[in-house]
Amino acid sequence: YIFEATAEDEMNYKRMYGDAWFSFSEKKAGWHTNRFVEIVAAGSVPWMSDIEEAPRPVQSTFPMALLRAARALPGVLPGGRIGPGFNQTQYIEVASQLLRFGRHRLTT
């Protein structure tokens, strides 16, 4: 998503992440991207399809256990889609832990 350089469009961009259960992100120039931080800060869970391919030093800085736990929740389909049996309570627990991780590790 590309937004215009206005405060309102940026707010809508961040609101989209906050409204989503999962938000897609992928490696571009590198593994550590602002998009990952934006997704976590908005309270969504990043869905990085190729995160398991990241080098071990990169994986050590990502909350891999939480990302795996979110993917393994009942009713979570490939690509972060939600299907039958999705358990909101379990999702909220994992997303809350991820948000705490972000507050402690992704801010200055």
Side-chain angles (χ1 to χ4, degrees):
Y1 178 77
I2 299 174
F3 60 89
E4 296 295 322
T6 67
E8 183 179 353
D9 282 348
E10 183 176 359
M11 188 172 59
N12 288 333
Y13 169 77
K14 291 177 181 176
R15 186 176 296 127
M16 284 188 331
Y17 284 141
D19 290 346
W21 296 107
F22 291 91
S23 299
F24 185 77
S25 183
E26 62 186 342
K27 176 188 174 225
K28 299 225 175 164
W31 289 97
H32 295 286
T33 66
N34 286 339
R35 179 165 291 163
F36 183 86
V37 176
E38 291 170 342
I39 291 168
V40 171
S44 187
V45 173
W47 186 277
M48 302 176 76
S49 59
D50 51 359
I51 190 64
E52 299 294 339
E53 298 170 14
R56 190 168 305 280
V58 170
Q59 289 191 23
S60 70
T61 63
F62 277 67
M64 295 300 294
L66 293 174
L67 296 177
R68 287 183 186 116
R71 289 171 175 245
L73 291 172
V76 175
L77 305 174
R81 295 186 319 267
I82 304 303
F86 179 68
N87 186 312
Q88 285 185 328
T89 303
Q90 289 178 321
Y91 171 88
I92 290 169
E93 178 57 35
V94 173
S96 295
Q97 290 178 39
L98 190 56
L99 187 57
R100 281 191 295 275
F101 171 89
R103 286 184 179 152
H104 292 289
R105 303 279 177 94
L106 302 177
T107 60
T108 57

